[in-house]
Structure formats: C-alpha cells, structure tokens
Amino acid sequence: MPELPEVEVVRAGLDKWVKGRTLETVTVRDPRSVRRHIDGVSDFEETLRGCTVSGVVRRGKFLWLELSGLEVSAALVAHLGMSGQLLVEERTAPDEKHLKVRFGLEQRAGMPDELRFIDQRIFGGMFLSPLVPTADALPGGQGSEHPLIPQAASHISRDVLDPHRDDEQLYRALRRRTTQLKRALLDQELIAGVGNIYADEALWQAKLSGLRNTATIRRNEVARLNEALIDVMRRALEAGGTSFDSLYVNVNGASGYFSRSLNAYGREGKACPRCAANGLDSVIRRDPFMGRSSYTCPTCQPRPRRVR
DNA sequence: ATATCTTCCTGGGGGC
DNA sequence: TGCCCCCAGGAAGATA
C-alpha cells in the first residue's frame, strides 16, 4: 500500500527514467483509471500526446509530471491509490493483467521505451489537473521550489518529509481539531503522506495511543510524534530506495522491504518489541478502526481514560 | 462549518 | 472442490 515512502521511490524512478522524454503515444486501456480526467478518455490521450516530461514532483501521496508542450498549463497527476504501480518497461514486454494506461516514450539509448500505469483495484488513477499557486508558499520564495501545484492536490498540507514544516505547525494543526489522533494523522489536510501502516508505526514509536483526543495533546507529545513520523518514513525510504537503479519501479517490492521491520502494524498476537526488550510481556492487539484495523501495544501506548 | 460515513474496486482467504 | 462473503486500502463526495 503506497504511502509517502513508496510514492517517493516511484518519483525518484520516474525522475531518472522518464524526465526529459516525450510521450509519443498515449493509450488508455481502462477508462476507469482516468475517470478523474473530466474531459474524457480521448481528450486525455490527445492532449498528452507529444508532451515532454519536464519534472517529477510529489507531495504526500500525490505524484505529478510537469509537462512542456501543453497549450494550457497543467500537470499529469498520478495517484496510486492502494494498488497502483508505474513501471518503465520495453514496449514489447507482455501486458500485465491490470495494465490500465500506457505511454510510449521517445527512444533513448539504454532506456526502456514505455511507461505503464498498472492498478488492480482502481482506487488510483491518472488525470490532467490545472496548476495553481500553492496556498502555503513561503515568503521570499523559500520552500517554493514548486510554487505551482495541481488543483487536485492543492488542498493537502506539506508532507512528513517536507523540510519547510516543523512540530509546532503539526501541534497547531492538531489542536485546531477535535478528533482522535489517528484520524487526524490520516487527514491529508493536516499532514500529508501518512496512511494506515505508517500511522500505526509512528504512534507506536512515539508511545501514543491513536485514540487520544487531538484537543488535549501536549507539545512534547507532538514533538515525539513528529520525530517518529519522520524517522519511520526515512527508514522506509531507505529500505525501498534500493530499487532506484533497477529498470523499473515496483511499488509492491518497495513496501515489501520495509514490511520486515514493522513493529506494530499487522503484528496482532505477537510480542511488542519494545516491551520485550524491557523484559515486559505485552502483545500487539488489533482493534477495528474506520472499517479497517489499528495495531497497538496496550502497555506502552496507553489508551486515554475517556475515549470520545 | 466541522466531523464522520459511504463509495469506488478486485482478488485473496476463510468459512461452510 | 467450489462458492460466497468479507476484507484491505486512499480520498472524494455525501451526510450528519
């Protein structure tokens, strides 16, 4: 499930293999994968044909290709949803079962000539979105390496690894809301890039229960949480980053590396590693959460006395 | 206005 | 063996 680190691995791969190249052909194999493109499948194909990819940018889980050669300024947004992949391959490679969109790339020595969007569950998609100024560009251009952002991603906040963000901002964002801490972490408008897996991991690392009320969270707790978020994302990125040089970027492979080092997520019934190291006997539990699951250690992530 | 619920999808796995 | 149902997940849109 691609969260920030997995999407960053994809971004880096596209930056290496696709940036600077022209999209010579565009073929949509499943219209559902471009349903967010409001002008329809034909417009998607025709508008993009002949464009050159001038940059590859990410914020949170949103990824977009900056383009030259368009009449109206827009970016090609890709969201991987939960099963999306972007692969760079030879045009002659057999079609993947869930191949949705293919982009024939201008020939270049030693580089594969096709970009493919593959998506089993179709929660993801690709579409053109007009570029608008970021609402949070900093004065003096600082932090405005990408002062324009696709409209479709303009509502989300700076992401966990954005250098122009700090724990004070996170504290204020959390305090503005009255909701459970984990819900807030998953809200891309408060902090971008966190999904269910890394939310559980960061909360575990910070020794915080996701049931805590954001309205009563303390500064030092938010500082701990922010540090944990950054650390978890960085470690996942390092684990997935090994595939930067491979000929294609495999999202599932990228997240797979890190799954070996998860401490809480998916570990129901297994010992809490921190408690075990401290000679305590505590077991990770799974609880229903918004129609899915939360994994926590009941000992080192104490539940608030009163849960809203 | 804010907070939460529902919907979009498919395939793997459990239960019968 | 096979069928059915549930579940996983992100985020837009609907609803409270």
Side-chain angles (χ1 to χ4, degrees):
Chain A
M1 301 92 212
E3 299 182 28
L4 186 156
E6 291 77 22
V7 180
E8 174 55 23
V9 169
V10 173
R11 191 208 61 77
L14 294 178
D15 193 77
K16 173 162 184 170
W17 298 102
V18 176
K19 191 166 93 178
R21 300 178 75 181
T22 297
L23 308 176
E24 290 186 334
T25 60
V26 183
T27 312
V28 174
R29 273 192 25 156
D30 187 336
R32 292 175 299 178
S33 288
V34 298
R35 64 181 168 225
R36 290 192 67 188
H37 185 78
I38 37 185
D39 292 326
V41 171
S42 307
D43 180 83
F44 181 89
E45 293 174 332
E46 288 160 23
T47 306
L48 284 169
R49 196 188 320 132
C51 285
T52 300
V53 176
S54 53
V56 189
V57 189
R58 180 191 59 73
R59 180 185 280 215
K61 305 171 203 171
F62 280 85
L63 179 67
W64 61 93
L65 306 185
E66 295 174 329
L67 302 167
S68 58
L70 281 176
E71 283 175 33
V72 181
S73 170
L76 174 55
V77 177
H79 198 293
L80 302 177
M82 71 165 291
S83 56
Q85 291 173 282
L86 282 163
L87 306 184
V88 180
E89 295 181 308
E90 295 298 340
R91 216 165 292 199
T92 52
D95 287 7
E96 288 77 6
K97 186 173 177 191
H98 302 292
L99 176 59
K100 302 300 184 186
V101 188
R102 60 203 313 162
F103 301 89
L105 303 172
E106 144 218 0
Q107 296 288 337
R108 199 169 279 197
M111 286 194 171
D113 58 2
E114 192 161 274
L115 171 65
R116 296 181 178 184
F117 180 71
I118 294 147
D119 191 12
Q120 180 196 114
R121 296 182 199 179
I122 328 182
F123 275 30
M126 299 186 83
F127 55 95
L128 277 164
S129 179
L131 286 163
V132 299
T134 51
D136 52 9
L138 302 180
Q142 252 242 314
S144 307
E145 297 87 351
H146 300 285
L148 296 179
I149 190 169
Q151 195 162 53
S154 61
H155 61 293
I156 73 170
S157 177
R158 291 186 177 277
D159 70 45
V160 174
L161 294 184
D162 192 320
H164 306 288
R165 190 190 70 76
D166 58 32
D167 54 309
E168 181 61 24
Q169 287 170 31
L170 180 59
Y171 175 77
R172 287 200 300 266
L174 292 173
R175 279 288 190 149
R176 274 200 295 273
R177 296 290 180 95
T178 305
T179 190
Q180 291 175 5
L181 182 55
K182 183 169 170 184
R183 284 176 178 274
L185 281 182
L186 295 177
D187 184 342
Q188 306 298 303
E189 293 187 32
L190 293 189
I191 182 167
V194 185
N196 200 40
I197 297 174
Y198 295 124
D200 278 3
E201 287 302 300
L203 287 166
W204 178 87
Q205 191 165 317
K207 299 189 192 178
L208 291 169
S209 166
L211 297 174
R212 291 284 303 279
N213 187 341
T214 52
T216 60
I217 202 88
R218 293 165 185 278
R219 267 199 174 74
N220 68 320
E221 292 172 325
V222 177
R224 224 159 70 210
L225 178 59
N226 191 45
E227 197 177 346
L229 283 164
I230 293 170
D231 185 66
V232 165
M233 296 286 182
R234 285 234 174 97
R235 287 190 291 116
L237 191 50
E238 282 165 22
T242 52
S243 60
F244 276 32
D245 287 334
S246 66
L247 278 187
Y248 64 91
V249 186
N250 186 328
V251 169
N252 297 327
S255 60
Y257 293 116
F258 190 62
S259 65
R260 279 176 239 151
S261 54
L262 294 175
N263 289 300
Y265 184 84
R267 299 192 68 251
E268 182 184 15
K270 295 183 176 157
C272 166
R274 179 170 45 216
C275 287
N278 292 334
L280 297 170
D281 190 19
S282 185
V283 169
I284 300 290
R285 58 178 282 174
R286 180 176 72 85
D287 293 292
F289 171 78
M290 295 174 78
R292 31 197 84 114
S293 300
S294 283
Y295 297 87
T296 56
C297 171
T299 304
C300 55
Q301 296 173 269
R303 287 165 60 102
R305 289 181 213 290
R306 198 169 139 268
V307 177
R308 313 182 333 107

